[in-house]
Structures are given as C-alpha cells and as structure tokens.
Amino acid sequence: MLKRLGGCLFLLLCTVAAIALTSWPEQPAEQAPVMGIVCTASEDDWKDEQYRLLEAEAQAHGFDRMVLRTERTQQAQIDAIRALIVYRADVIVFSPMVQSGWENVLHEAKQAGIPVLAVDKSLAQTDGLAGYVGFGYRKAARQAAAYLATQGHTVAAELYGTLNASNAQEIARGFREGFEDTRTTLKYSLCGDFLRSRGYEIMEIFEQEYTGITLVLCQNDAMALGAIDYLNAQGLQPGVDVKLCVFGGGDEVQACREKGQIDLVAQCDNEELAHETAHAALHLLDDPTTSVQREIPIALQTGEAAP
C-alpha cells in the first residue's frame, strides 16, 4: 500500500512539474532597435530612392523603422526629430535642408541619449552632436569641371540648390576650383532650391537674359529635369544646343543621359549611402560617444567612357 502511494505521489509530482514547465511564461525576445527616419518631400526619383533604400538597409541590419514624412522646411524637419525623441527612437537619421540652426534639437537628442546621423547633407559646427554619412561632392565637382573644360565650353551657368545647404556649397566650390586655369568661366549662378519647377524657370532666365551659355551645371536631378523640360518646350535639343552636367543619377536622369540629353552625370550611389548609414547607426548604438564621419566617392558617367 505504501509502495503504491509512493508511486502515485511521484507520478503526481512529475505531472505538476510538466505543467509548470509548459505554462511558464516565455522570456520576451530582445526588442529590435528603432531607427527614426525623417523623409522630406522631394521632386526627383533619386531622392525618393535614397529614402527607400535607407528603410530597406535599416531593416536588413536589424532595425525596426519609424518613418516620418515632412514638408521641405527646416522647421518641419525639427518637429519630426522632436517627435522621434518623444517616441524614444534608438537612433535618428535625416538629410538636413540647411547646415545651421539645429543646435537646440540636437542638444535635446543628446540629453535623451539618442544619437543623430545626418545623411547626404552635413551640418555645421555640431560639436559632436551628430554624425555624418554622405558623398564627396567637392572632389567630384572638381573632377567634373576639369573634364568639362576639355570639351570646348567657354561660358557655364549653374543651377544652384538650396542656400546654406552643405551639398550645394561643396558642389559650387568644387566647380569653381576645377575651372581655375581653364578657358571655361562659370559666369552665372541662380538658386533653384533643388526643385524641378525652379530649374525650368531659371533655364528660361538663362536663355532669355544671358548669352553665350553652352553648359549648364545642375546640382541635382530635379533641376536638371526642369531645364530639359524648358529646352524641349522651346524646340531646343538638350545635350546639343546646351550641354548639361548633373549631380544625382536617378533613373529618369540616366534615361536622359542614354538619349544624349545629358553629357555628364555625377552618380551618387544611394545603395552604398544606405548601407554605410545603417552600419554607422549600429556603431553608434554600441558606442554613442564615437565620432562618425564617412564620405562616399562619386563616380562620373558620360555617354562615352567615364573620365
């Protein structure tokens, strides 16, 4: 009898243990870090591709993504960054409209322990408050100018991007340095704010008010496409009557280059930018005190062999 009771008791204990093991709450899986991405409205497929690839690479590197889409103003970008700080994103990525005026919001991010990465366009005097992953705009513009100067151009005009934007300033400096000691003069420059509509309007001004322009330097795809829209509307041939050089390199611009409407594309590789950004973000999560400054080379593409 005692032996039978002992056997039943043992069986009961085993059953209770089995139930306990199967019903014990699972330990929560480690939560993926969140990358907050501020996507600002654009007018060309190159910039749209940049944001799409940033999201894709963030996911590939193990991030959850929180994407905030904003208007093309600095204040809208600042509001989005503040919203991501409140949400407690683990890292924030954005492409700043202009270089300056970010000190307050960057300090807020630092106080919250959230690293910030500026991509494509850099910030001025951040004092370590933000990292940067972008392109070697100045060097590529120097190389582009040196090549274009050998093509017989004498008077060039510039479709300048947004005032106080880092990439606009770097491209402009590079062009001027590259044209030094050549027969090509960069004589005219008007601000198109990286917009297709402004590219059209400024091209009209160049054609109607200035003479002798054989080359137009476009600081992004949207303005170049606006210039092409104008030339086509006037019965002129882009790439023949007026030569074009473009920084960016989205699908629409590449199609124009293949048709001979654009003579030189400074191809800014968004895939490499996105990969380097995700890698830098992981590095900042491991060590928020580290300094991140990464510059990606730009390839020059012509209708012929690359210069």
Side-chain angles (χ1 to χ4, degrees), residues 30-102:
E30 185 177 348
Q31 187 173 357
V34 175
M35 178 184 287
I37 304 174
V38 179
C39 291
T40 305
S42 67
E43 288 197 357
D44 62 57
D45 58 4
W46 179 83
K47 196 67 177 179
D48 292 337
E49 176 196 56
Q50 185 178 106
Y51 291 129
R52 178 179 60 79
L53 290 173
L54 283 172
E55 289 187 55
E57 279 294 317
Q59 182 178 20
H61 282 73
F63 285 95
D64 283 338
R65 287 88 54 223
M66 184 174 187
V67 180
L68 298 185
R69 306 190 184 280
T70 73
E71 297 177 352
R72 297 186 74 259
T73 68
Q74 182 180 27
Q75 188 57 53
Q77 289 187 319
I78 289 173
D79 291 342
I81 293 171
R82 286 194 169 125
L84 290 169
I85 293 171
V86 171
Y87 180 78
R88 300 293 299 177
D90 294 287
V91 62
I92 295 172
V93 170
F94 79 118
S95 182
M97 290 286 297
V98 293
Q99 295 182 83
S100 56
W102 305 96

Side-chain angles (χ1 to χ4, degrees), residues 5-271:
L5 282 173
C8 291
L9 182 60
F10 176 75
L11 181 61
L12 178 62
L13 289 172
C14 288
T15 304
V16 170
I19 293 172
L21 286 172
T22 56
S23 62
W24 191 266
E26 294 183 4
Q27 293 296 318
E30 185 177 348
Q31 187 173 357
V34 175
M35 178 184 287
I37 304 174
V38 179
C39 291
T40 305
S42 67
E43 288 197 357
D44 62 57
D45 58 4
W46 179 83
K47 196 67 177 179
D48 292 337
E49 176 196 56
Q50 185 178 106
Y51 291 129
R52 178 179 60 79
L53 290 173
L54 283 172
E55 289 187 55
E57 279 294 317
Q59 182 178 20
H61 282 73
F63 285 95
D64 283 338
R65 287 88 54 223
M66 184 174 187
V67 180
L68 298 185
R69 306 190 184 280
T70 73
E71 297 177 352
R72 297 186 74 259
T73 68
Q74 182 180 27
Q75 188 57 53
Q77 289 187 319
I78 289 173
D79 291 342
I81 293 171
R82 286 194 169 125
L84 290 169
I85 293 171
V86 171
Y87 180 78
R88 300 293 299 177
D90 294 287
V91 62
I92 295 172
V93 170
F94 79 118
S95 182
M97 290 286 297
V98 293
Q99 295 182 83
S100 56
W102 305 96
E103 292 80 6
N104 290 340
V105 73
L106 291 179
H107 276 291
E108 292 167 22
K110 184 175 182 179
Q111 289 171 357
I114 302 173
V116 176
L117 270 173
V119 297
D120 184 26
K121 303 172 188 175
S122 62
L123 300 169
Q125 299 177 344
T126 60
D127 297 325
L129 294 173
Y132 170 66
V133 180
F135 298 107
Y137 284 113
R138 189 170 181 175
K139 181 179 180 180
R142 282 199 304 266
Q143 294 171 338
Y147 167 76
L148 292 166
T150 67
Q151 304 304 299
H153 303 294
T154 55
V155 180
E158 181 179 51
L159 286 171
Y160 191 95
T162 301
L163 293 175
N164 194 28
S166 67
N167 58 342
Q169 291 186 0
E170 291 300 289
I171 294 170
R173 288 170 182 156
F175 276 138
R176 284 154 181 78
E177 291 167 355
F179 285 135
E180 285 181 2
D181 303 321
T182 73
R183 295 181 60 191
T184 304
T185 302
L186 208 173
K187 196 170 182 180
Y188 311 107
S189 181
L190 292 176
C191 178
D193 203 26
F194 294 126
L195 297 174
R196 187 167 185 157
S197 56
R198 286 290 292 149
Y200 187 105
E201 294 166 2
I202 293 173
M203 197 66 212
E204 183 175 17
I205 294 171
F206 286 157
E207 284 293 301
Q208 294 181 358
E209 298 187 17
Y210 305 113
T211 60
I213 295 173
T214 59
L215 171 66
V216 176
L217 311 170
C218 310
Q219 292 193 351
N220 82 327
D221 283 18
M223 293 189 296
L225 294 169
I228 290 172
D229 291 342
Y230 174 79
L231 292 170
N232 286 332
Q234 300 304 308
L236 299 170
Q237 289 184 274
V240 177
D241 296 309
V242 177
K243 305 288 186 179
L244 297 172
C245 169
V246 185
F247 270 74
D251 290 343
E252 194 170 357
V253 156
Q254 290 292 2
C256 291
R257 181 179 70 87
E258 291 169 5
K259 290 188 291 186
Q261 295 180 320
I262 293 174
D263 298 270
L264 180 62
V265 174
Q267 176 66 51
C268 304
D269 189 343
N270 277 327
E271 287 190 9

